[in-house]
């Protein structure tokens, strides 16, 4: 019998959305909200309860199981990881979450990575990221990129991660102490994420087949595309440039410049990539109008969920004040396993 405690943070993406699966760039960080699994590894059954939802997940590793019908619903992620990892030893424990679920802060990737580590994953960090990506596809059919997993696994306290998904290289960018990251939940549950996500991804793939890698596509070749591919490609190309510029500005502790790029990113996600909602747009406008807020944008896949704002330290003293659900978060270390 082995006692295990695993902590997996969520992530917030400061800038660079819908670029990962197109081989582009993003600038996320792991955050100090996350998922903890505390338990014991023994026997051949996974038995987990969660403090965030009712029900007990029971999964017998000695017989076949159907991921899609797993109850409670979060059990699909655990089952998908188990079918990827094929552990021979079970796990009994408690899952606690300080992360809002399905809000664009990577609760599912955090759960997958926490589960894999708790079930005894041994291997390279990148293999863990790929395992979680495959599990996401098995669990809910979303062909996600590697943004969430990379931030959760490679996160570092007080740093953002500049990730280049064409080479999977990561540069750490110190996060200035005089800036706050404020996350505000729109109150709108994410809708259409699965089907629309796949649609956007396919559009990017089609565009790339016609004009080459979107992260470096020039204006003329983007202009040669028909709609809606033209706007989808323009988002990816301009977003990658904004990420490069934002990383540069963050290194210079220029919060105003990073914030401006974030708000521009939001407009591009709203108009060119069409993954925002009216409620999210209003929330971005309200945040940007506040003194001391440098910029704001939808974060993650979109279609609801959370907005991230970059602010002068202390500019938003009470993050709950806007919608009743907000957090001031800090760039944090990646997932950890302790005995
Ligand atoms: C979700 C996916 C990521 C990424 C973002 C959008 O979080 O899991 O891979 O594509 O959406 O940037």
């Amino acid at each position: 019998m082995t006692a295990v405690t695993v902590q997996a943070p969520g992530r917030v993406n400061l800038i660079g959305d819908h670029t990962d699966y197109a081989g582009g760039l993003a600038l996320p960080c792991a955050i100090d909200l996350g998922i903890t699994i505390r338990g014991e590894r023994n026997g051949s059954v996974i038995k987990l309860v969660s403090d965030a939802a009712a029900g007990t997940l029971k999964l017998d590793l000695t017989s076949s199981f159907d991921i899609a019908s797993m109850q409670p619903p979060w059990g699909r992620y655990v089952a998908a990881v188990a079918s990827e990892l094929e552990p021979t030893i079970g796990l009994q424990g408690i899952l606690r979450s300080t992360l809002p679920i399905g809000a664009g802060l990577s609760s599912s990737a955090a759960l997958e990575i926490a589960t894999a580590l708790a079930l005894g994953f041994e291997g390279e960090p990148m293999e863990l990221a790929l395992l979680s990506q495959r599990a996401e596809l098995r669990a809910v059919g979303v062909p996600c990129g590697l943004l969430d997993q990379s931030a959760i696994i490679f996160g570092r306290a007080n740093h953002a991660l500049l990730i280049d998904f064409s080479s999977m290289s990561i540069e750490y960018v110190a996060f200035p102490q005089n800036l706050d990251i404020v996350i505000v939940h729109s109150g709108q549950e994410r809708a259409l994420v699965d089907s629309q996500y796949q649609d956007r991804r396919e559009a990017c793939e089609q565009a790339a087949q016609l004009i080459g890698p979107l992260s470096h596509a020039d204006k003329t070749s983007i202009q040669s595309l028909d709609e809606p591919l033209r706007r989808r490609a323009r988002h990816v190309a301009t977003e990658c440039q904004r990420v490069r510029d934002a990383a540069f500005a963050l290194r210079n502790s220029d919060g105003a410049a990073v914030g401006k790029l974030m708000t521009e990113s939001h407009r591009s996600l709203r108009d060119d990539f069409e993954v925002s909602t009216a409620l999210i747009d209003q929330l971005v406008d309200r945040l940007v109008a506040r003194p001391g807020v440098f910029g704001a944008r939808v974060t993650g896949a979109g279609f609801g969920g959370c907005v991230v704002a970059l602010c002068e330290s202390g500019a938003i003293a009470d993050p709950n004040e806007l919608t009743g659900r907000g957090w001031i978060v800090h760039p944090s270390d990646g997932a950890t396993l302790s005995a």
Side-chain angles (χ1 to χ4, degrees):
M1 184 158 70
T2 318
V4 285
T5 301
V6 178
Q7 278 175 310
R11 67 99 187 93
V12 68
N13 195 15
L14 297 173
I15 190 162
D17 269 313
H18 291 279
T19 51
D20 60 347
Y21 52 75
L25 296 141
L27 190 67
C29 54
I31 55 176
D32 46 351
L33 299 172
I35 287 179
T36 307
I37 297 179
R38 236 180 262 280
E40 281 169 1
R41 287 179 57 211
N42 67 8
S44 56
V45 171
I46 296 178
K47 192 170 170 204
L48 288 172
V49 291
S50 159
D51 69 342
T56 302
L57 171 73
K58 286 194 202 108
L59 205 162
D60 183 348
L61 296 172
T62 60
S63 40
S64 62
F65 49 85
D66 176 33
I67 296 171
S69 60
M70 210 51 71
Q71 289 297 330
W74 54 264
R76 287 173 300 170
Y77 297 103
V78 175
V81 169
S83 62
E84 283 290 334
L85 199 59
E86 299 184 341
T88 48
I89 302 175
L91 171 75
Q92 296 80 51
I94 298 175
L95 202 150
R96 293 182 205 283
S97 178
T98 51
L99 259 184
I101 307 298
L105 303 179
S106 295
S107 53
S108 58
L111 175 55
E112 288 151 8
I113 288 164
T115 301
L117 290 173
L119 286 173
F121 171 87
E122 281 175 1
E124 294 299 316
M126 203 53 219
E127 285 172 33
L128 178 56
L130 292 166
L131 183 149
S132 161
Q133 185 187 36
R134 292 193 302 271
E136 184 80 21
L137 188 62
R138 279 195 192 227
V140 286
V142 176
C144 65
L146 282 166
L147 167 72
D148 310 343
Q149 293 80 3
S150 312
I152 291 169
I153 293 169
F154 298 103
R156 184 182 286 179
N158 306 319
H159 288 77
L161 285 68
L162 173 60
I163 309 175
D164 181 343
F165 293 96
S166 66
S167 57
M168 278 316 299
S169 64
I170 298 177
E171 269 177 54
Y172 290 95
V173 182
F175 190 81
Q177 290 198 339
N178 59 348
L179 297 177
D180 278 352
I181 303 171
V182 177
I183 297 175
V184 182
H185 199 302
S186 63
Q188 186 171 21
E189 293 308 319
R190 292 191 311 172
L192 298 172
V193 177
D194 308 359
S195 60
Q196 295 291 323
Y197 186 92
Q198 186 156 356
D199 169 272
R200 298 301 186 276
R201 186 174 173 148
E202 283 168 8
C204 290
E205 282 162 6
Q206 278 175 36
Q209 271 168 17
L210 295 166
I211 63 168
L214 300 186
S215 56
H216 286 91
D218 59 42
K219 276 190 185 152
T220 318
S221 36
I222 292 172
Q223 210 52 38
S224 72
L225 295 167
D226 291 333
E227 289 295 1
L229 296 197
R230 186 187 304 162
R231 276 178 301 138
R232 307 296 188 244
R234 185 167 61 199
H235 165 71
V236 176
T238 58
E239 184 80 346
C240 290
Q241 189 54 45
R242 282 187 289 271
V243 173
R244 292 181 199 102
D245 295 345
F248 180 83
L250 200 61
R251 282 201 187 92
N252 290 325
S253 301
D254 188 348
V258 180
K260 187 165 173 278
L261 290 158
M262 288 170 70
T263 308
E264 282 167 20
S265 160
H266 181 75
R267 291 199 197 104
S268 178
L269 287 159
R270 181 190 68 188
D271 301 337
D272 277 354
F273 220 67
E274 295 180 288
V275 294
S276 189
T277 67
L279 205 60
I280 293 266
D281 295 342
Q282 283 166 22
L283 185 54
V284 167
D285 290 346
R286 281 172 66 199
L287 277 159
V288 170
R290 304 268 304 230
V293 175
F294 293 126
R297 60 189 285 282
V298 64
T299 188
F303 307 104
C306 288
V307 167
V308 57
L310 189 72
C311 318
E312 240 169 49
S313 232
I316 296 187
D318 175 10
N320 287 318
E321 165 204 329
L322 285 110
T323 63
R325 283 177 88 195
W327 303 265
I328 297 175
V329 297
H330 302 93
S332 299
D333 282 329
T336 55
L337 164 74
S338 46

